[in-house]
Amino acid sequence: MTFKPAAWPRKLRSQTWFGGTSKDNIYHRGWMKNQGFPPDLFDGRPVIGILNTWSELTPCNAHLRDLAERVKHGIYEAGGFPVEVPVFSASESAFRPTAMMFRNLAAMAVEEAMRGQPMDGCVLMVGCDKTTPSLLMAAASTDIPSIVVTGGPMLNGYYKNERVGSGTHLWKFSEAVKAGTMTREEFVDAEASMSRSPGSCNTMGTASTMASMAEALGMALSGNAAIPAVDSRRRVMAQLTGRRIVQMVKDDLKPSDVMKKEAFENAIRTNAAIGGSTNAVIHLLAIAGRVGVDLTLEDWDRCGRDVPTVVNLMPSGKYLMEEFFYAGGLPVVIKRLGEAGLLHKDALTVSGESAWDQVKDVVNHNDDVILPADKALAQSGGVVVVKGNLAPKGAVLKPSAATPALLTHRGRAVVFEDIDDYKAKINDEDLDIDETCVMVLKNCGPKGYPGMAEVGNMGLPPKILRRGITDMVRISDARMSGTAYGTVVLHTSPEAAAGGPLAVVQNGDMIELDVPNRRLHLDISDAELAARLAAWKPIHPLYESGYGWLHQRHVEGADTGADLDFLKGARGNAVGKDSH
Ligand code: FES
């Protein structure tokens, strides 16, 4: 830790709006006074933007207005001036064609909201999947002091006295209906049991993973990730976060001071230990690209390789976030990494303490939820990166969610040209497929879907499910929900819509998946592959206008984080052309 706090007091950026007596100062300050703010709030104290992704159409974040009040308490207590600002909220459960298409749009909008308005520091109020990375990307690009507070997970779901995990049981019940072991009426009956309180998905899905990533990166206070949304301690966390951001502004503790390469390596290892979502790969690559850290897919494979998955949560394990909190939450996991020599202990966090100092005294209260290393769900729990002629720039797989016997597999390709083709064929009893086949789904990548939907864990054909078979090797350029499971190769790069080799796989081709040797191979000759690629043409037209036009022409591959090419990098907080 080499951070040296800045001298205080000093003039803050908000004073270029609110300080002084010019016409512009009076314009900026005077209009704010229509809300009844006392004059001393404009006296040079830190102005803190509470960037709130509250939306009634982002149900996982629908309680964030209430939580923002607690953040305000903390900011006032510490001598700051809180201003709550609604920002773009991309709901995972409601946004079409997919929330991921709008992560970059949200990041762009929030970045400009931070830079263009009088904010000296920001509290990033997030929860649902894309809200966390989009605001972290914005904070990285402006480098304005920022701290994350998440909304917290929903309480445990139960149906017929069994734990029901958000998303995970949606897939399970849906497959059970297809297999004929659950009725449609039971499925509908189970619906409300999955979502019985405010908060984000209660599994170790993408929201819980990204909350954990924010904490492991050092961008949230220790313990933030797991506190249930409705627990009174979530409000305490919000208030403490409000207090802390004021001091961060005084110290000038910026995202670039915290999000160093070491912090990203801590986060990658944490992701392996928690059995986190593959979506974290894309989001951390994108955040790193904004803050100027050279992070690659290879870093994911290298750092995650020796880390056992010890958090026994769905979709890989059996418990839910509520139990993770009771067991001690993420600090216990980070302490475990530190004890195993897998943590950059000195990494600075937003608390001002090191990653190690803030966890070294925590205790695991339930070793069936946070398992001993010798009882880990997977000894090598990290996200695996496979490469080969089918994925020259890599593809990812989550071993802890896969069937071990399928991690080395050779099978006949059954190809779906896009998600509509899949939907049209998958229920056909005459589809030429058995459990040894490899299901291949194309044109679902960042450019293709567009937006890279979470369809990579495509359901198995009913005729196979009815025989009690629940997993097959599946390969696509899509993503997979963090709540999902299976032997699923994702993010295949380059994607089909960009002319990657995935685009030219044909029915009947043989495909080899060899996870131990990190290989994904299409068993055709180099000459045949080259001839097919030369003859390839995209099957979908591009958008001709609107944000879709911008997205499809500028989105990069999943292997580098699927950011828009012109948004990469930090642009600082200076207003106007100096920042671009
Ligand atoms: Fe919002 Fe899962 S759908 S967190």
Side-chain angles (χ1 to χ4, degrees):
M1 287 207 321
T2 53
F3 178 72
K4 260 188 76 179
W8 182 258
R10 66 181 188 284
K11 184 176 174 185
L12 297 174
R13 71 188 297 269
S14 62
Q15 282 296 293
T16 64
W17 281 264
F18 296 145
T21 56
S22 73
K23 178 190 75 143
D24 284 352
N25 296 142
I26 288 170
Y27 182 31
H28 298 310
R29 197 171 53 227
W31 263 246
M32 286 291 285
K33 286 184 174 174
N34 77 349
Q35 298 174 81
F37 292 126
D40 59 345
L41 289 183
F42 302 91
D43 63 2
R45 67 188 67 197
V47 177
I48 308 298
I50 302 173
L51 305 183
N52 199 339
T53 54
W54 166 86
S55 161
E56 287 183 338
L57 278 175
T58 306
C60 315
N61 297 13
H63 60 302
L64 292 187
R65 293 286 327 272
D66 171 67
L67 212 55
E69 292 303 316
R70 301 298 169 146
V71 176
K72 286 182 193 172
H73 282 309
I75 292 169
Y76 277 126
E77 284 166 355
F81 176 14
V83 282
E84 188 180 355
V85 178
V87 294
F88 193 110
S89 186
S91 162
E92 199 60 33
S93 59
F95 238 115
R96 291 181 178 174
T98 166
M100 179 61 183
M101 181 165 163
F102 305 103
R103 182 201 65 179
N104 299 334
L105 177 63
M108 183 164 63
V110 174
E111 176 186 338
E112 300 303 335
M114 291 173 82
R115 180 182 298 114
Q117 301 188 89
M119 299 179 195
D120 303 308
C122 292
V123 175
L124 314 180
M125 297 207 65
V126 293
C128 195
D129 301 15
K130 304 301 170 293
T131 56
T132 307
S134 58
L135 268 62
L136 276 170
M137 289 160 74
S141 281
T142 61
D143 211 21
I144 290 173
S146 297
I147 187 169
V148 168
V149 62
T150 47
M154 295 185 234
L155 296 176
N156 279 6
Y158 290 95
Y159 180 65
K160 295 185 176 174
N161 208 34
E162 298 286 333
R163 274 185 202 82
V164 172
S166 323
T168 300
H169 276 79
L170 182 64
W171 321 128
K172 279 196 174 49
F173 290 160
S174 168
E175 304 260 286
V177 170
K178 280 202 248 172
T181 57
M182 184 180 207
T183 66
R184 181 69 57 181
E185 290 69 33
E186 286 175 314
F187 194 14
V188 174
D189 192 32
E191 178 183 296
S193 71
M194 297 184 214
S195 314
R196 55 181 277 257
S197 84
S200 50
C201 289
N202 56 20
T203 41
M204 188 50 82
T206 303
S208 299
T209 298
M210 290 312 299
S212 301
M213 293 298 90
E215 188 172 329
L217 278 170
M219 288 297 293
L221 293 181
S222 187
N224 169 73
I227 307 170
V230 295
D231 194 297
S232 54
R233 287 162 283 189
R234 173 60 57 190
R235 291 176 160 199
V236 174
M237 176 58 69
Q239 192 155 338
L240 295 177
T241 299
R243 289 182 190 170
R244 179 61 199 158
I245 185 65
V246 175
Q247 189 61 43
M248 285 172 65
V249 170
K250 291 178 178 174
D251 292 346
D252 199 25
L253 176 53
K254 303 180 294 302
S256 61
D257 296 314
V258 173
M259 292 196 282
K260 308 271 192 200
K261 179 83 180 236
E262 292 75 18
F264 284 94
E265 293 188 346
N266 284 348
I268 291 171
R269 292 191 172 107
T270 301
N271 188 64
I274 64 176
S277 165
T278 45
N279 284 324
V281 178
I282 294 183
H283 298 324
L284 259 60
L285 289 170
I287 296 164
R290 294 299 188 96
V291 81
V293 166
D294 180 23
L295 193 73
T296 65
L297 266 185
E298 282 67 33
D299 290 319
W300 276 89
D301 200 278
R302 174 180 60 80
C303 293
R305 225 171 238 249
D306 300 325
V307 184
T309 299
V310 293
V311 176
N312 190 8
L313 258 58
M314 297 180 204
S316 302
K318 69 176 180 183
Y319 294 106
L320 294 167
M321 287 298 285
E322 198 180 329
E323 283 129 335
F324 185 40
F325 173 58
Y326 301 146
L330 200 70
V332 174
V333 178
I334 294 176
K335 179 182 180 184
R336 189 76 70 73
L337 291 174
E339 290 169 337
L342 295 168
L343 184 77
H344 295 290
K345 291 183 173 179
D346 277 350
L348 177 66
T349 74
V350 287
S351 72
E353 289 189 303
S354 71
W356 175 249
D357 280 346
Q358 59 186 11
V359 302
K360 63 183 190 310
D361 298 323
V362 299
V363 174
N364 182 8
H365 300 295
N366 188 334
D367 63 9
D368 195 40
V369 175
I370 304 173
L371 302 162
D374 62 349
K375 293 196 175 139
L377 298 180
Q379 280 306 328
S380 180
V383 170
V384 161
V385 178
V386 291
K387 284 191 172 177
N389 67 349
L390 187 47
K393 293 188 173 178
V396 305
L397 178 142
K398 181 175 167 182
S400 64
T403 302
L406 289 175
L407 294 176
T408 305
H409 184 79
R410 178 181 162 87
R412 170 172 62 88
V414 175
V415 173
F416 306 100
E417 293 297 330
D418 62 15
I419 194 65
D420 294 326
D421 188 37
Y422 163 80
K423 287 177 181 167
K425 291 176 178 165
I426 194 63
N427 295 323
D428 184 349
E429 295 291 318
D430 294 328
L431 182 65
D432 183 15
I433 190 168
D434 62 44
E435 65 270 27
T436 67
C437 290
V438 174
M439 296 169 69
V440 175
L441 176 61
K442 305 177 183 175
N443 292 297
C444 291
K447 189 191 288 271
Y449 192 95
M452 206 178 179
E454 292 183 331
V455 292
N457 56 313
M458 57 191 133
L460 273 48
K463 65 179 181 180
I464 291 180
L465 287 168
R466 284 198 299 273
R467 291 175 39 230
I469 292 157
T470 55
D471 197 11
M472 289 171 61
V473 174
R474 287 158 272 179
I475 299 173
S476 72
D477 46 11
R479 295 177 303 120
M480 171 172 88
S481 165
T483 62
Y485 48 86
T487 310
V488 187
V489 178
L490 303 153
H491 311 181
T492 302
S493 300
E495 64 175 298
L502 184 71
V504 298
V505 179
Q506 296 177 357
N507 279 316
D509 287 345
M510 296 304 289
I511 292 178
E512 292 170 17
L513 172 66
D514 181 357
V515 170
N517 290 302
R518 304 297 195 257
R519 185 163 176 266
L520 183 63
H521 182 69
L522 178 64
D523 196 5
I524 62 174
S525 69
D526 292 348
E528 170 69 10
L529 179 58
R532 289 190 196 178
L533 287 171
W536 171 80
K537 287 193 175 46
I539 65 167
H540 295 124
L542 298 181
Y543 278 52
E544 292 180 357
S545 64
Y547 176 69
W549 181 95
L550 186 73
H551 173 87
Q552 285 189 313
R553 281 156 185 80
H554 290 280
V555 72
E556 295 197 331
D559 56 304
T560 56
D563 201 356
L564 300 184
D565 51 12
F566 61 89
L567 289 176
K568 291 176 90 168
R571 285 166 283 282
N573 66 28
V575 176
K577 64 177 171 26
D578 289 351
S579 64
H580 294 94

